[in-house]
Amino acid sequence: MFRYCALLSLCASVGLAADFQTGQGARLVIGQTTFTSQTPGASDTLLGGVGGLAFAGDTLFVSDSNREGYTPINNRVLMFQNISQSLPGVLAQIAAYSGRCPVCVGQANVVLGQSDFLNNSFHISQSGMRTPTGVATDGRIVAVADTQNNRVLIWRSIPFFNGQPADLVLGQPNFTTVQPLVANASSFRGPQGVWMQNGKLFVADTQNNRILIWNSIPTQNNQPADIVLGQKDFTSVIPIPVADADLQPTQSTMLTPVSVTSDGIRLFVSDLGYNRVLVWSSIPTQNNQPASLEIGQQDFVSSIANDKTRLCPSGTDSSGNKYYPDRCGKTLNYPRFALSDGKRLFVADGGNDRVLIFNTIPTQNTPEADFVLGQPDEFASVVTSVTDLFHPLIKQSAADIVPSPTSLAWDGNNLYVADPTNRRVLVFTPGDNNVPINGVRNAASRETFASAEVEVTGTIQAKDTVTVTINSKDYTYTILSTDTSDTILQALVSAINAGSGDPNVYASIPPQLSQILLSARIPGLPGNAITVAVSTSATAMISIAASGTTLSGGESAGVVAPGSVVSIFGTNLADALVQPDPAASQLPIDLGGVEVYFDGMRAPLFFVSPTQINAQIPFEVADNRLQQTSVGAVSVNGSLSAVVRTVHKDGTVTATTAVAVPIAQQNPGVFAQDGQDPRTAVAYHGSSYGTATITVAGSIVAGDTGVITIEDRTYTYVVQSGDSFDSVRDSLISLIKSNKEEKVTASQGGAFVRILLTAKIPGPEGYYPITATSNAATSTAATPVGGSLSLGVNQLQLCCANVAGSQITLDNPAVPGETFYIFATGLGTVSDLNGNPIPVLDGNPYGGPQPNNPDASVSSLAGTKTADIVAAGLEPGLVGVYRVVLQLNPSVPPDSFAQVTISQDIYTSNIVTIAIGNPTQPPTQ
């Protein structure tokens, strides 16, 4: 039952101390119910726009406010006590069937600034706050930077009840006063950072461009500081905003410092305005003491955000010109927090949407980070708010994304990252880096193919020309006065696909979209090098635009759908190849000592081996979606956190570093034989009987007539008021079925409004001629015309019988017009023919109902022609596998290696090949 290795070629094969990994995913999330949810609000489990973090005494402190404009501002500090007991350990086993996201954790015990967990209003009082953005503790004392009240609140002991009032206030004479702005040793202007270390208190007095230091923890209200950094004295303060000439970067100046921390030896200041982190090699003891070194700038007089030309490696383009990446491991852009665990340094590089990790404390200017969290590499910036139908916000809220991180905390095992954009705290944990960040893939696709889009807009004017150029080859169309944008797009598609097609790309028009989709014929990264250019004639009134100058998106098939069969590639994943008992009624969730967790949910396992695991993505993750954006409806996406836990034969336990898995509601992959892409499809002849389809389309108008003629037998239906395409189809099917002498059977054509006609006798003897008419105007495959109701036939006779279930091979090819089927995974959730969702049990062979349809419609290209989808749905008896039944276009040319893809929404499968023979040659029997 579960022998997928032999059936669908899933067993292709692809080193260890625990450490961070560039681009890894977060293992846990605090403040949201999934990694993708961004629910606003306030409760003991729900966070708003978090700003500050601190950890001590097994308690995580979270200031639930920020100064970056992310909402909601909850004006409070939450305390998560005994946090180690609520966080699953990195090697711990998570109980099976324990909820949707067992790694979405954290319930606060105490709230400060509010009387309960539901309120979020601001107050000027001993127990109130207004935009608290920083919090610090040494395990005995708690300090909060109450930013908009221009003060710091201090609790002399760890608070233990909600709304507990502070014991003293700094920056104000009392708890109810916010005095006029003044610069002295006891005043603040918008303080955002606070820290305690070895009996000292440090405050980042942000808008006074300085750091204040108390050599001992203050004991009275409004107590003055002992030392100031960033200014020559306590009163000579140049507040922001400032003119460039007023405050230049030097070794002892700052511009909007937002955090200050220490490891007990060194002092670290995030100098936001000057795009750097300042480091003092010892705790300063004098006013205006200069920093010892800096991170993010070449020298102390520079302040360039991402100073790429001086700090990043250069490349050379085809013309010999130097170019630089926009950022690298040495640059910073608005850093917001720096934190050391005594050995490493972590920097929240807010403007670059990442966290930099230095494995040793820097001792010289411009060190290069060893690891990057939040980005796939040191050069990338994948977070964007720009989206359209073809570019969903798949990385807007993901397990490996940290847009604008504001604060960090370390508990000895886990790095906590404040993510105000997504209203959460992400928890990153070092692990065994046995799975690369792209190591989880659709088991059928393995690689994705690069693509680009072309759009035509503007005024139609005869004789204008539009041109698409692919790798220097031009495809030009001259516009006719009768053209529309859609016919122009179709003409360009036909030109690109003519004959054997462009050698580099396939062209198609996705359903319901007025754009050309260009898909590379070669898989993975090489497809990204295919160039695309568009142009029009000089006086043209029409415009043509491409999504980029090259195709993009070619990589491993890492975007997967709920229910997909996935392959996890890596090293030391298991001790040996182990497969389930083939007689088992469902797939195991523990196999050979291996468990795979997606968001903490145990996944069904097809097999495990040292270098590859095949598992099923739980269908439950279909809820993992992004919210509606300001640009309108976009493709629904999300993200999972994947971890492999292995109990080895020697008793040791390993757990991989978490890997983020992007989730789309559907992203199909077609199973194929092993080999180089494009691989030969696992494809089968669909019928021993001649078949044909009739599509019901047009519009519904009462009184219209639809007529189907099979040989000399005619079936007529008059459209009634209240009819739909479905009811017209079903009525015509009923008429055909009512004739007991009819030589064909009629049935629904899968998820589409089609009638499938199948001969009752096998072989060519059942190739009966057919026509379909509507309102007396004949609709044929060549001329689909008619009245309001349109009945379109795909061919003029039933045809193309073979031996049903025999494999398509070079010796037994498919023929034009034939029905055949392939197997796929990743088509997403399914419904019955009435549109009712079908609940599917993870790891269980699908048991019905039949037929079922994917919730997202499927389209296909085969041999450069559109292939009709006759049916698509989960295959009974298999887990996560769909059967897709297609009918070749009658005019498709013979080709021993014709390329086939299926698509849903914006997603196109891997390219597979089938043999298409000459229709005049009889099939092998």
Side-chain angles (χ1 to χ4, degrees), residues 792-832:
V793 297
N794 71 321
Q795 52 201 18
L796 299 181
Q797 66 175 21
L798 278 68
C799 82
C800 314
N802 198 286
V803 177
S806 62
Q807 192 163 357
I808 295 174
T809 64
L810 290 172
D811 294 329
N812 188 15
V815 296
E818 182 181 350
T819 298
F820 69 101
Y821 60 91
I822 56 179
F823 289 103
T825 191
L827 277 67
T829 54
V830 295
S831 299
D832 63 23

Side-chain angles (χ1 to χ4, degrees), residues 220-278:
Q220 59 185 12
N221 289 348
N222 213 27
Q223 184 172 324
D226 299 299
I227 297 171
V228 61
L229 303 178
Q231 304 289 348
K232 65 180 181 179
D233 55 45
F234 288 107
T235 58
S236 300
V237 171
I238 304 174
I240 59 173
V242 296
D244 289 343
D246 290 335
L247 192 59
Q248 294 298 320
T250 69
Q251 198 167 350
S252 57
T253 59
M254 307 170 192
L255 183 61
T256 59
V258 289
S259 76
V260 55
T261 65
S262 174
D263 60 3
I265 299 173
R266 292 157 285 251
L267 191 71
F268 307 93
V269 172
S270 296
D271 191 8
L272 181 81
Y274 287 148
N275 300 293
R276 63 186 182 178
V277 171
L278 297 174

